[in-house]
Amino acid sequence: MSQDSGHPSKRRSWVILERRYLPKPFDDENLLSAVKRALERSSEQWLQHSQRKEMRDRLATLTPREFEVLKCVIAGMLNKQIASQLGTTEGTIKVHRGRVMEKMGATSVAELVIPRAEGRDCTGVGGCY
């Protein structure tokens, strides 16, 4: 809220922050609408934050080897390819993969890949290395 609603620098700074500029005088409806939008935006941000935290917490439970297997699964590799890449047997990879699925709370590989496809790559990696 500002008395000087026409000052361009104030208006520009609010646009940069993705907030609406609410010049004086304003009516109750405009104020309530602005508060409602702010609360909705805050709620969405909190939900996203809590989802990212939950994903990081789950990732923290993985052993280093399980994390390597997860990276390979996300990269789309088959168990046989992962085993070859990591120098182990396909059976061992199946065990690690099962533990990854359990610890990450996923029932399918798609559930592991979807967060990354939506731009929420919480692993911080782009593939299997």
Side-chain angles (χ1 to χ4, degrees):
M1 294 180 274
S2 173
Q3 188 70 25
D4 181 16
S5 62
H7 197 278
S9 65
K10 288 182 182 178
R11 191 171 299 242
R12 187 171 43 253
S13 67
W14 280 98
V15 170
I16 290 170
L17 294 173
E18 296 181 11
R19 290 172 173 75
R20 288 191 172 257
Y21 183 73
L22 192 59
K24 287 182 182 177
F26 53 86
D27 59 25
D28 292 344
E29 223 172 280
N30 285 342
L31 178 61
L32 290 174
S33 177
V35 169
K36 181 180 177 185
R37 282 192 308 272
L39 289 173
E40 288 170 354
R41 189 169 40 249
S42 176
S43 177
E44 290 169 7
Q45 290 171 347
W46 179 254
L47 178 62
Q48 291 171 358
H49 171 75
S50 65
Q51 288 172 340
R52 284 191 304 271
K53 183 183 180 323
E54 181 182 351
M55 181 67 73
R56 283 191 304 268
D57 291 347
R58 287 182 180 192
L59 286 169
T61 66
L62 298 178
T63 66
R65 188 57 133 191
E66 289 168 348
F67 189 73
E68 289 177 359
V69 171
L70 172 63
K71 291 188 296 185
C72 293
V73 169
I74 289 173
M77 296 175 74
L78 301 173
N79 289 342
K80 186 186 297 187
Q81 295 168 320
I82 299 170
S84 174
Q85 177 84 21
L86 300 180
T88 189
T89 67
E90 190 174 346
T92 301
I93 295 304
K94 288 180 181 180
V95 170
H96 286 308
R97 191 172 176 155
R99 288 183 185 149
V100 167
M101 299 289 283
E102 182 180 330
K103 289 180 179 182
M104 296 302 292
T107 57
S108 69
V109 173
E111 289 180 13
L112 293 175
V113 177
I114 287 173
R116 183 165 181 235
E118 292 176 344
R120 295 182 288 134
D121 182 10
C122 300
T123 63
V125 296
C128 181
Y129 299 108

